[in-house]
Amino acid sequence: MAEQPVSMPRMVDNDEEGRRKVVMHPPIIPDAHTGQLWTGHVPKTAGFRRLMTGLFFAGVATFAQLYSPQGLLPLIASDLHVTADQAALLISASTIGLALAVIPWSFVGDRLGRKPAMTISIVAACLFGLGATLAPTFGMILGFRILEGVALGGVPALAMAYLNEEVHPAAAGQSAGTFIAGTVLGGLLGRIVAAPVGEWYHWRIGMGVVLVLAIASAVCFLILTPRAQKFTPTTTSARHAITSITTNLRSPVLVVMYLQGMLLMGGFVAVYNFLGFYLLDDPFNLPVTVVSLVFLAYLMGTVSSPWTGRMAAKYRPSRVLMALSGTMIVAILLTLVPNLWVLLAGVLVFTGAFFGAHSVASGWAGAAAEGGRAQSTSLYNLCYYAGSSIFGWLGGIFLTRYGWAGTVWMTVGLTLCALAATALLYVFVVRPRINAAREPNSTHT
């Protein structure tokens, strides 16, 4: 008879809203060989290193493919005779496919297992990526990019659940950081490798080289990642799934966090989609290879994300989010100054502030979940990538009609909306809960 998991320990903690909540840890399952309780991989062990390295490469494989066309958009627009906003659809198509797929992939992972589902996801994405690279027409490339995005949705949908199941709870934060580092590096490699190769040879060759890197990373994921030891297959009825999702959507805190993901990511992707077009033109006239180096600003995220996490714990997430949104607005306005160094400074600060805000909002979306943490995280990802798709494309319309200033002011508008939503949440929800929790005779929980 199959081993039964030991009951999950219950711990009482305070959430970001000042309420007390019960935290349920994953089940503790006896080791199949020794019969001893196994609580997950711990740091400095071979299993932990293999899991971390494998998931790091999964992040690289996913996000290198997802964003490889971004630095190539001016070349693609010129070669295929399409406008800037039409070329940007190659990014929007894949991210909308990913957005629509994250929730279905979470249920596939519940049934098949995290690693098998992620394996299917990455292999299918590589095949569709090959199709996008070789497709002769813009319409066919767009179709393959949608399918590629749908396939890639399995990795962000399942990676965190995989980590939470297989690592010791004390190492969860470290392991999540390793996976996120892989996603940042993957997105960065996809951009800074594809663009110079595309300029020197052809944009298809640039995408092809990134695809080879993604395939190599996928093989590393398959070889290195150890067999899951704590996964138990489950099936979820459609009714239960809908209940989990709608319960989260009734929470004002979660709705505002989902909006943060949609609005801030939308402006962020629009900036990086069309900044290259601006830098290739007057008054800068930079070559594509040099423009691609702007993507190195993404490394600001590796510094700002952990720092803002500490600040959110100290000063509360809502206050930190408002400060970061204001910083984004000031920074992006600096890019209107016709000076390269001022523009680069603005991009660096804007990028760091965005990744900090994303880190705080995504963490709050998981911690404040009311109808299932996995479903809340998937809803955040859905809004995050939907915003990337919609506003990442819409920024091109503003660019075509009003120039770079149009894209900048669209981003300012989106960020102001996000700032206003957080401010209203703080005034009408968070602060009253904090005050109620501080009252000596409060029964608020």
Side-chain angles (χ1 to χ4, degrees):
M1 186 174 67
E3 298 282 2
Q4 296 298 315
V6 177
S7 298
M8 291 186 287
R10 299 163 59 91
M11 295 182 62
V12 178
D13 198 1
N14 292 325
D15 66 11
E16 285 85 344
E17 304 169 31
R19 298 179 299 179
R20 293 174 66 79
K21 59 189 286 189
V22 175
V23 179
M24 303 295 288
H25 288 299
I28 302 173
I29 298 179
D31 185 271
H33 301 291
T34 66
Q36 297 178 344
L37 296 181
W38 187 79
T39 57
H41 295 290
V42 295
K44 299 182 180 180
T45 62
F48 184 86
R49 286 192 294 268
R50 289 183 60 195
L51 181 61
M52 292 303 95
T53 307
L55 285 175
F56 175 86
F57 279 111
V60 171
T62 301
F63 288 88
Q65 291 183 75
L66 186 66
Y67 289 111
S68 64
Q70 194 170 49
L72 298 166
L73 292 180
L75 298 176
I76 293 171
S78 175
D79 184 52
L80 298 179
H81 307 291
V82 295
T83 61
D85 57 290
Q86 289 173 328
L89 288 173
L90 295 180
I91 304 297
S92 296
S94 57
T95 52
I96 196 65
L98 190 154
L100 295 174
V102 286
I103 293 177
W105 271 115
S106 68
F107 295 118
V108 173
D110 287 344
R111 179 182 289 268
L112 299 181
R114 315 305 185 193
K115 182 178 179 179
M118 290 173 70
T119 300
I120 295 170
S121 165
I122 294 175
V123 171
C126 289
L127 293 174
F128 291 133
L130 179 62
T133 302
L134 300 177
T137 66
F138 182 76
M140 291 180 66
I141 297 171
L142 208 58
F144 275 113
R145 286 289 292 172
I146 294 173
L147 295 173
E148 189 177 8
V150 169
L152 288 172
V155 175
L158 301 172
M160 290 304 177
Y162 191 12
L163 287 172
N164 286 331
E165 289 171 353
E166 297 300 316
V167 302
H168 191 278
Q174 176 185 345
S175 60
T178 302
F179 171 71
I180 292 171
T183 67
V184 172
L185 181 61
L188 181 60
L189 283 175
R191 295 166 170 102
I192 66 173
V193 171
V197 173
E199 184 178 33
W200 297 334
Y201 300 101
H202 194 276
W203 65 265
R204 293 182 188 272
I205 296 177
M207 286 181 60
V209 170
V210 172
L211 181 61
V212 171
L213 292 175
I215 292 172
S217 297
V219 171
C220 291
F221 163 74
L222 295 174
I223 294 174
L224 292 171
T225 312
R227 178 182 59 85
Q229 299 187 51
K230 293 174 69 176
F231 172 74
T232 302
T234 59
T235 56
T236 304
S237 67
R239 182 177 180 181
H240 182 268
I242 293 171
T243 300
S244 297
I245 292 169
T246 55
T247 299
N248 284 321
L249 290 175
R250 286 195 292 268
S251 165
V253 172
L254 292 175
V255 169
V256 170
M257 290 309 102
Y258 303 153
L259 282 174
Q260 299 299 303
M262 173 177 284
L263 297 171
L264 297 181
M265 179 60 166
F268 179 76
V269 170
V271 166
Y272 274 95
N273 274 353
F274 304 109
L275 180 60
F277 289 92
Y278 178 51
L279 293 176
L280 289 171
D281 206 350
D282 293 332
F284 303 107
N285 297 303
L286 299 177
V288 171
T289 300
V290 174
V291 170
S292 69
L293 296 178
V294 174
F295 290 113
L296 290 170
Y298 267 58
L299 294 175
M300 286 291 292
T302 63
V303 177
S304 65
S305 294
W307 180 78
T308 53
R310 293 192 297 270
M311 292 300 101
K314 185 176 182 180
Y315 298 109
R316 296 198 174 273
S318 51
R319 295 173 181 170
V320 174
L321 268 178
M322 287 187 283
L324 290 169
S325 296
T327 302
M328 288 177 66
I329 291 170
V330 173
I332 195 60
L333 287 174
L334 288 177
T335 66
L336 294 175
V337 177
N339 179 282
L340 183 60
W341 297 110
V342 174
L343 181 146
L344 291 177
V347 170
L348 282 170
V349 175
F350 174 79
T351 303
F354 164 75
F355 277 114
H358 167 47
S359 177
V360 173
S362 61
W364 201 355
E370 297 184 3
R373 186 165 296 183
Q375 283 71 32
S376 180
T377 301
S378 293
L379 282 168
Y380 180 85
N381 282 329
L382 169 63
C383 294
Y384 183 79
Y385 288 108
S388 168
S389 303
I390 297 167
F391 297 113
W393 164 77
L394 191 60
I397 301 294
F398 280 87
L399 179 75
T400 301
R401 294 186 179 181
Y402 308 110
W404 174 245
T407 303
V408 167
W409 284 109
M410 185 201 80
T411 302
V412 169
L414 294 174
T415 310
L416 279 173
C417 289
L419 175 58
T422 308
L424 290 172
L425 177 71
Y426 180 76
V427 171
F428 293 107
V429 178
V430 175
R431 190 167 62 185
R433 288 176 178 174
I434 295 171
N435 293 336
R438 288 174 176 170
E439 292 177 3
N441 298 321
S442 173
T443 58
H444 181 80
T445 57

